[in-house]
Amino acid sequence: MKLKIALLPGDGIGPEVIAQAVACLQAVEDTFGHQFIFSKAPVGATAMDETGDPLPEDTLALCKRSDAVLFGAIGDPRYDNDPNAKIRPEQGLLRLRKELGLFSNIRPVKVFPTLISNSPLRKEIISGTDFVIYRELTGGIYFGEKYRSEDGSTASDLCLYTEPEISRIAHLAFKAAKKRRKKLTLVDKANVLESSRLWRHVVTKIGESYPEVALNYLFVDNAAMQIILNPSQFDVILTENMFGDILSDEGSVIGGSIGLLPSASVGDKYSMFEPIHGSFPQGAGKNIANPIASILSAAMLLDHFGLKEETDAVVKSVNLSLKNGIVTPDLKAKSQYGTDDVGHFIASHISDADDYRGLNRENIGLGKSTII
Ligand code: IPM
Ligand code: MG
């Protein structure tokens, strides 16, 4: 398969983790005989430094002529602590989601058995966790009208949803549930918000055409509690933009590190793949960032294009690195392995993760074969 992939590494640790995801995709090209054409473009604070715009026209144009976008991270402390900043790096990501029509953000939350002791939650609570969040991504309070009074003392953000916006992601979530354990939980705040009552109405109606899927409802405050009390009760969670943002960070705690969670954002025409973690500016340039969330995002890209065997090979190789403790310090405090060691290990075992018998640890950092 020939795929044009736009690379938007972005800020902070973005470039380091994207480099490892690309190394893995190149290993997939070599192993399975595909052709991936990579083109890089700036976004976020990096793009603001170069052009003044967090989403330059050329970057958007590149994304539109590519088959998929692989995105790193966005955000810079120079803007985080300045409430008066007129332009922010995050606006680049939000505009990109809107311009590409990426209305559905898919965030799987799974516990890797080898990492069960990394979670701050007890083993018996988290074992068996395997759910996926369908977060609406181009509507709601993120994109509603914003207002600030002239004297600056009053502000508002409008949370607006229309029936078509809800129904298009609801169908995707029901279809996903049908292929999984056939349970869909709509998370909202229908006891207070009118927009949530619209979500309930639309989703309930759509649910009638998916009789095999059991639909239930949770208020978001209760859902936040249930996710850490009993995460294995969930299969597919469907929710609006901001609730999904918050719950997916909460979900990342279950697996022991936010550095493990990938995501896919899809629309009718375009698709983008990105780790759910932020730009971790304190870690930038130190070779300590966990590349696994980006590598698994690349695996979601392969899956999106129907490349099942290739997806499995990447996931197996990631599991191999976890099993052998070839991990960054977020997963093992005194780990001697850096971002590039972990990425190199995973990339170099994409072709043979099944046959792997043992490793020569001395070679990991040297870019040589790690097979004994
Ligand atoms: C995410 C991030 C973004 C969001 C930020 C960087 C704008 O937190 O993708 O979850 O809020 O959507
Ligand atoms: Mg977030």
Side-chain angles (χ1 to χ4, degrees):
M1 184 181 273
K2 192 169 165 179
L3 284 178
K4 282 184 275 178
I5 301 176
L7 299 176
L8 272 53
D11 305 326
I13 56 168
E16 293 166 66
V17 292
I18 287 300
Q20 301 313 319
V22 169
C24 291
L25 287 173
Q26 283 167 335
V28 168
E29 274 188 283
D30 294 346
T31 309
F32 295 90
H34 298 300
Q35 192 189 356
F36 301 149
I37 302 149
F38 299 102
S39 317
K40 208 182 277 184
V43 71
T46 317
M48 286 169 73
D49 290 341
E50 285 174 28
T51 68
D53 184 350
L55 180 63
E57 274 311 308
D58 288 351
T59 299
L60 181 59
L62 170 70
C63 295
K64 287 191 169 168
R65 44 168 209 273
S66 303
D67 297 303
V69 181
L70 191 58
F71 192 96
I74 209 155
D76 188 297
R78 283 178 292 164
Y79 306 94
D80 291 346
N81 306 323
D82 176 7
N84 296 319
K86 288 264 176 303
I87 311 176
R88 296 177 176 279
E90 288 79 2
Q91 287 163 354
L93 177 59
L94 298 180
R95 256 192 64 213
L96 190 59
R97 289 171 177 171
K98 194 76 172 175
E99 297 268 359
L100 299 180
L102 307 172
F103 60 83
S104 179
N105 183 225
I106 303 160
R107 299 186 161 184
V109 177
K110 223 173 167 166
V111 172
F112 291 92
T114 38
L115 291 180
I116 214 147
S117 59
N118 279 74
S119 176
L121 299 173
R122 283 203 309 275
K123 184 177 165 194
E124 53 277 23
I125 291 181
I126 58 167
S127 70
T129 300
D130 178 7
F131 63 89
V132 53
I133 301 178
Y134 273 69
R135 166 189 176 195
E136 200 291 327
L137 202 61
T138 51
I141 199 166
Y142 272 59
F143 292 93
E145 195 187 322
K146 301 192 180 304
Y147 167 78
R148 187 76 178 263
S149 65
E150 256 166 44
D151 68 359
S153 66
T154 307
S156 76
D157 299 272
L158 182 69
C159 180
L160 184 114
Y161 270 109
T162 63
E163 178 159 357
E165 284 177 313
I166 299 168
S167 106
R168 59 189 180 179
I169 184 169
H171 278 290
L172 292 184
F174 274 109
K175 282 184 189 141
K178 228 170 116 172
K179 287 200 205 136
R180 295 174 47 101
R181 299 193 309 279
K182 303 184 176 42
K183 185 175 175 196
L184 191 146
T185 305
L186 173 65
V187 171
D188 62 26
K189 188 73 187 173
N191 50 347
V192 177
L193 302 178
E194 199 54 45
S195 52
S196 285
R197 289 192 275 272
L198 179 64
W199 271 83
R200 266 197 197 205
H201 172 74
V202 174
V203 172
T204 305
K205 215 166 64 189
I206 291 172
E208 287 165 12
S209 40
Y210 298 89
E212 60 280 72
V213 177
L215 170 65
N216 71 325
Y217 312 90
L218 274 187
F219 295 140
V220 63
D221 45 354
N222 187 14
M225 194 167 77
Q226 295 298 329
I227 281 177
I228 44 170
L229 276 180
N230 179 15
S232 57
Q233 70 182 286
F234 295 108
D235 181 18
V236 176
I237 292 179
L238 168 63
T239 192
E240 61 98 69
N241 203 341
M242 189 153 86
F243 297 159
D245 178 46
I246 298 167
L247 295 182
S248 55
D249 267 31
E250 189 190 5
S252 75
V253 173
I254 298 171
S257 170
I258 196 166
L260 297 169
L261 293 195
S263 82
S265 302
V266 302
D268 291 328
K269 199 160 168 207
Y270 302 105
S271 57
M272 180 160 103
F273 302 85
E274 55 173 310
I276 84 153
H277 61 67
S279 59
F280 185 31
Q282 313 87 310
K286 295 190 182 149
N287 196 27
I288 56 170
N290 191 340
I292 290 182
S294 287
I295 292 171
L296 290 175
S297 299
M300 288 185 88
L301 183 158
L302 298 168
D303 191 49
H304 180 77
F305 289 97
L307 304 174
K308 302 283 175 221
E309 211 187 320
E310 292 79 345
T311 309
D312 277 2
V314 176
V315 173
K316 273 186 190 151
S317 194
V318 166
N319 281 325
L320 206 59
S321 78
L322 295 173
K323 218 164 85 195
N324 285 285
I326 316 295
V327 294
T328 42
D330 53 314
L331 294 178
K332 199 165 72 179
K334 293 211 175 82
S335 177
Q336 81 227 61
Y337 303 116
T339 310
D340 51 5
D341 299 318
V342 175
H344 175 257
F345 178 87
I346 296 170
S348 60
H349 289 293
I350 282 172
S351 61
D352 68 354
D354 274 334
D355 308 326
Y356 181 83
R357 261 168 263 122
L359 81 167
N360 181 346
R361 283 179 192 271
E362 280 178 9
N363 282 353
I364 288 170
L366 305 175
K368 293 185 196 157
S369 169
T370 52
I371 302 175
I372 296 172

